[in-house]
Amino acid sequence: MNRIAFFMEQHVGLKTYYKNLRKYVDQFDDVDPIWIEVTYNSLIPYWSSGPNILKRVTGLANGLLEVQYGLMRHANYDLAFYFTQNTAVYAGRKLSRTPYVLCSDVSPKLMDDMALHYNHAQDENKMVNDYKHNTNMKIYQGAECFITWSEWMAQSLYNDYQLPEENVSVIPIGIDQTIWKAENRSIHLGPVKILFVGGEFYRKGGQSLLDAFHKLDSGSAELHIITRTKIDQQESIFVYNDLEPNSPELISKFQESDVFVFPTLADSFGIVALEAMSTGLPVIATNIGALPEIVKNGEHGYIIEPDDTDQLHAALVKLIKNPEMRQQMGKNGVERVSKMFNAERNARRVIELCKEIIQGKKPAGTKQIETA
């Protein structure tokens, strides 16, 4: 029996990976998993109001205590799986006690490159920056393997952290296609339904989307926005602020729509684009992070430059005027998710890699997403 401790960060967006991985790992007869959820709010009361520094310190303290408590409660296992590298940092000196695997969708260097859009303050002190970078280098290079979701992230590991290619495996998040599926998809009469999903509306390119939508011919389309951001209702624009991830209500919105638009200004991967493709929608997304690895331009939708309203408008017009194209791109997307981003298949690849390490075999780096 292979006993693996999974330290799983639970920030918004990362929960999907945890839930999908756990669903299938728990079904493997030869794996005895231990699940430690790192929520950043379970042990010390989280201050939802008050100074940002207080919220940040409280969150970091919770993360540290959750990981350390998990390490104390579960002392005996064959391998530790840390998702993300933050959980490995919280392990401290206990990190090297057991062989470990790291998994993440973004590196600190890449986060710094997107700092402006994430309201993420970079440390200006060179000594502090050097210390953080060297700490991450040590943690990364001490891992038996680093699993990342994209070639975009893998390149950062090679170039910014000097990891050899044989220590990196690209195995992206998978979509649970038993719930995210294209049901009863057909061309309907009436305005084309354009769907946007993103908690932070403006970081996800919402203003560019509104500007492009207002340039469309009146009555040709409706815009359905699912977000946490408060936006005024306007003619042909519908806003939903209370839909939960993976809920039947949310999935129905995808299945009822015709086009999915994700004009984000900063993102590492874009799980929501996979959910749209899995439900048979053509996707318009920006040339950001790993999105060009997910959506092949002209095959599953269109890749446009961020904050380019004219390019977004042109792509929308093409899809609105060509229902057969929408249908074909949607079918292509479903096939791509089934082949490359299936949750069960990719969870099995993660476990096979972990078992190789436990058995003393050094896994060779593998690439999951073709980038050509």
Side-chain angles (χ1 to χ4, degrees):
M1 184 65 70
N2 300 278
R3 189 167 172 80
I4 306 173
F6 292 87
F7 296 83
M8 305 297 292
E9 189 167 327
Q10 298 289 292
H11 279 313
V12 175
L14 303 182
K15 291 181 182 178
T16 300
Y17 183 67
Y18 162 62
K19 290 180 179 179
N20 288 349
L21 186 65
R22 180 165 186 170
K23 175 179 177 178
Y24 293 106
V25 169
D26 284 346
Q27 297 176 15
F28 297 152
D29 294 335
D30 57 349
V31 175
D32 179 16
I34 302 165
W35 298 99
I36 297 98
E37 299 180 9
V38 184
T39 66
Y40 296 96
N41 61 16
S42 68
L43 299 175
I44 301 173
Y46 182 74
W47 294 68
S48 58
S49 59
N52 285 335
I53 185 63
L54 182 58
K55 292 188 283 186
R56 179 173 173 78
V57 169
T58 303
L60 291 173
N62 268 312
L64 175 65
L65 290 172
E66 286 166 337
V67 170
Q68 290 293 326
Y69 185 55
L71 289 165
M72 285 191 300
R73 287 187 60 213
H74 307 285
N76 299 313
Y77 44 85
D78 303 310
L79 183 74
F81 182 98
Y82 290 99
F83 177 76
T84 62
Q85 68 263 8
N86 295 331
T87 60
V89 171
Y90 300 143
R93 294 181 180 179
K94 296 178 182 177
L95 183 65
S96 59
R97 184 181 67 185
T98 306
Y100 64 93
V101 168
L102 291 177
C103 179
S104 185
D105 63 326
V106 65
S107 71
K109 174 61 169 61
L110 293 174
M111 271 306 291
D112 284 344
D113 291 345
M114 298 186 290
L116 176 64
H117 297 294
Y118 276 95
N119 195 25
H120 162 64
Q122 300 182 58
D123 290 303
E124 296 181 359
N125 187 299
K126 185 177 185 303
M127 290 182 63
V128 173
N129 272 327
D130 288 345
Y131 173 77
K132 288 183 176 180
H133 182 75
N134 292 334
T135 298
N136 285 320
M137 286 269 290
K138 184 177 179 180
I139 290 173
Y140 284 13
Q141 294 177 358
E144 299 294 323
C145 180
F146 200 122
I147 297 174
T148 182
W149 295 357
S150 67
E151 183 63 24
W152 173 73
M153 166 64 168
Q155 289 298 322
S156 178
L157 295 177
Y158 307 146
N159 300 328
D160 302 322
Y161 300 93
Q162 285 75 61
L163 286 189
E165 289 194 17
E166 59 267 24
N167 282 15
V168 178
S169 285
V170 180
I171 307 176
I173 183 174
I175 295 299
D176 185 350
Q177 291 187 288
T178 65
I179 60 173
W180 290 96
K181 49 190 175 183
E183 287 193 333
N184 303 318
R185 184 160 296 287
S186 59
I187 299 172
H188 71 265
L189 301 177
V192 170
K193 292 185 177 181
I194 301 168
L195 179 65
F196 167 94
V197 179
E200 300 175 41
F201 182 70
Y202 294 103
R203 175 172 70 81
K204 303 285 186 177
Q207 189 58 58
S208 178
L209 174 58
L210 289 176
D211 293 344
F213 180 77
H214 287 309
K215 292 171 64 177
L216 296 174
D217 292 340
S218 178
S220 65
E222 299 174 350
L223 177 57
H224 295 258
I225 299 171
I226 299 174
T227 183
R228 295 192 302 270
T229 306
K230 299 300 180 182
I231 302 169
D232 293 336
Q233 299 276 358
Q234 303 173 45
E235 183 179 356
S236 299
I237 298 178
F238 306 87
V239 182
Y240 314 86
N241 294 125
D242 56 355
L243 297 185
E244 294 295 323
N246 282 343
S247 67
E249 295 80 9
L250 176 64
I251 295 170
S252 292
K253 291 298 180 187
F254 280 83
Q255 293 171 335
E256 295 165 1
S257 298
D258 301 300
V259 177
F260 184 77
V261 182
F262 192 60
T264 185
L265 303 177
D267 259 284
S268 59
F269 192 79
I271 297 170
V272 69
L274 288 178
E275 293 169 342
M277 290 165 65
S278 189
T279 53
L281 291 177
V283 175
I284 302 173
T286 41
N287 186 24
I288 292 290
L291 282 165
E293 299 176 46
I294 298 170
V295 180
K296 295 300 181 183
N297 190 45
E299 187 174 346
H300 313 108
Y302 295 105
I303 293 292
I304 63 173
E305 293 305 310
D307 210 19
D308 190 328
T309 300
D310 291 339
Q311 204 176 7
L312 176 53
H313 173 259
L316 283 170
V317 170
K318 286 181 184 178
L319 291 174
I320 289 170
K321 292 185 175 181
N322 292 278
E324 291 79 12
M325 180 191 294
R326 296 199 304 267
Q327 288 284 95
Q328 187 58 55
M329 285 181 168
K331 290 178 181 178
N332 294 344
V334 172
E335 292 175 2
R336 181 162 176 77
V337 173
S338 298
K339 178 183 177 183
M340 308 298 296
F341 303 100
N342 177 273
E344 182 176 8
R345 177 178 179 270
N346 289 2
R348 189 171 297 280
R349 293 193 66 216
V350 169
I351 292 304
E352 288 173 353
L353 186 150
C354 289
K355 288 194 296 185
E356 287 182 5
I357 294 172
I358 292 171
Q359 294 163 8
K361 302 174 184 177
K362 188 70 173 178
T366 59
K367 295 185 179 182
Q368 167 76 6
I369 305 177
E370 78 274 9
T371 56

